[in-house]
Amino acid sequence: MRVARPAPAADRSGPGGTAGVSSAAPSAASSSPASVPPPCGPSPVPPPPAAADPRSIPPHAPAAADPAGESAVPAPRAPARQPGSGNGLPLGDVWQECRGLARAAVRLDAAAVELLLASAVGQHGLVTAWEKVMVPALRAAGRKWETAGDRYVEVEHLLSWHVSSALRRVPPAAPAPSGVPGAPPVLLACVPDEQHALPLEALAAGLAERGVPVRMFGAALPAEALDSAVRRTGPAAVVLWSQSRSTANRPLARHVAASEWGVKGARTRPAVLLGGPGWAGPPVPGTLRPLGLREALEALEALEALARLRRTGPQTP
């Protein structure tokens, strides 16, 4: 029996004069399975399917796969990751404890944040935990907040609250024995309009840990209230914190440094320390500017010891 040859397909040229499917239609000499006789004997080979006219394909029909087997339809983009799903804070080169703290804060995992902060303070001490773990994480959260619009505000707030709680849990030194004259305190205050008091909380915790008496007034203390507190307590030193230049009140710093109290001929003035980046620029006469928590603690501890010595007088053998 002779195999019937299929009739040639009609030329269905498109508008440009090129056959629409001439490269895709199989020829009669093709070795595809449709042209191979089955094992039971020869049988007529059915004609190849007629090519579809591109003009007859409805506009809503799905696109055909390309010869490489890849779909012509682009794959949908993966949704952007949300906070807590792996988006990290811009930390840079930091300790591993800081990275763990940042990840827990992004996840809003309050229990993990509290545990990591307590572990850092217990293992490294307050000053090192502040410098190497707390501050880098806080700065990274602040930078992320500034660059991400309204996102990550909750991360920064949660982290700040738990850092403040961890600082307040640092145990103070044992109280002085009864009968020993008390030393003049160290006053800590943010300048008017300054709301960032967390660095002063770290300083207050460090001073209490060393047995230095502290009066903490927190954020945005009015100038009149600061002047009254200085005159009422006669402090050994006053620390004024400013986070930005817009809040740094140089006339106020000069006024506090010039404050005096005591009897005529034995007037006393407080040492004034200016803390924070807001004081950058020319120094304020009569003030000190420590560069960090460690340096501030060392300076204030020495000033408090000197003020205690002046109050009690030299010890006789």
Side-chain angles (χ1 to χ4, degrees), residues 3-305:
V3 178
R5 299 183 66 181
D11 184 9
R12 302 175 182 264
S13 301
T18 304
V21 289
S22 60
S23 62
S27 65
S30 172
S31 59
S32 64
S35 63
V36 178
C40 60
S43 62
V45 179
D53 188 345
R55 292 170 294 180
S56 65
I57 300 177
H60 59 272
D66 62 13
E70 298 179 358
S71 174
V73 179
R77 297 178 60 185
R81 294 185 296 176
Q82 299 298 318
S85 64
N87 283 0
L89 301 180
L91 292 168
D93 186 14
V94 296
W95 284 14
Q96 187 62 34
E97 291 92 332
C98 180
R99 293 189 181 280
L101 178 62
R103 286 195 295 266
V106 170
R107 298 194 309 269
L108 303 183
D109 190 342
V113 170
E114 181 176 342
L115 180 62
L116 289 167
L117 287 170
S119 175
V121 174
Q123 183 175 357
H124 303 293
L126 169 63
V127 176
T128 301
W130 171 258
E131 295 175 341
K132 299 296 186 181
V133 180
M134 300 179 189
V135 168
L138 288 166
R139 286 177 177 170
R143 287 194 297 268
K144 193 72 173 181
W145 178 3
E146 292 174 354
T147 59
D150 292 334
R151 296 175 60 198
Y152 289 90
V153 177
E154 70 282 7
V155 175
E156 196 272 344
H157 278 229
L158 180 133
L159 181 59
S160 297
W161 189 89
H162 280 282
V163 168
S164 176
S165 299
L167 294 172
R168 292 169 185 263
R169 284 194 292 267
V170 174
S178 58
V180 176
V186 172
L187 269 59
L188 308 179
C190 290
V191 295
D193 301 322
E194 180 56 67
Q195 300 295 331
H196 296 82
L198 200 55
L200 284 186
E201 293 186 35
L203 184 56
L207 291 172
E209 194 178 39
R210 288 160 172 76
V212 177
V214 176
R215 301 293 185 272
M216 172 64 164
F217 294 98
L221 183 67
E224 298 80 5
L226 174 63
D227 184 68
S228 176
V230 169
R231 298 187 181 279
R232 290 177 61 187
T233 60
V238 178
V239 180
L240 300 177
W241 181 266
S242 171
Q243 185 71 21
S244 65
R245 292 191 180 187
S246 63
T247 63
N249 193 328
R250 294 174 178 271
L252 177 61
R254 289 193 294 267
H255 173 77
V256 175
S259 300
E260 290 183 337
W261 59 86
V263 297
K264 188 176 181 179
R267 307 284 283 177
T268 302
R269 291 183 179 184
V272 177
L273 283 70
L274 306 180
W279 301 106
V284 178
T287 66
L288 305 173
R289 190 161 179 262
L291 299 180
L293 177 60
R294 192 181 303 271
E295 186 175 328
L297 287 171
E298 293 173 355
L300 290 170
E301 197 170 14
L303 289 169
E304 187 269 344

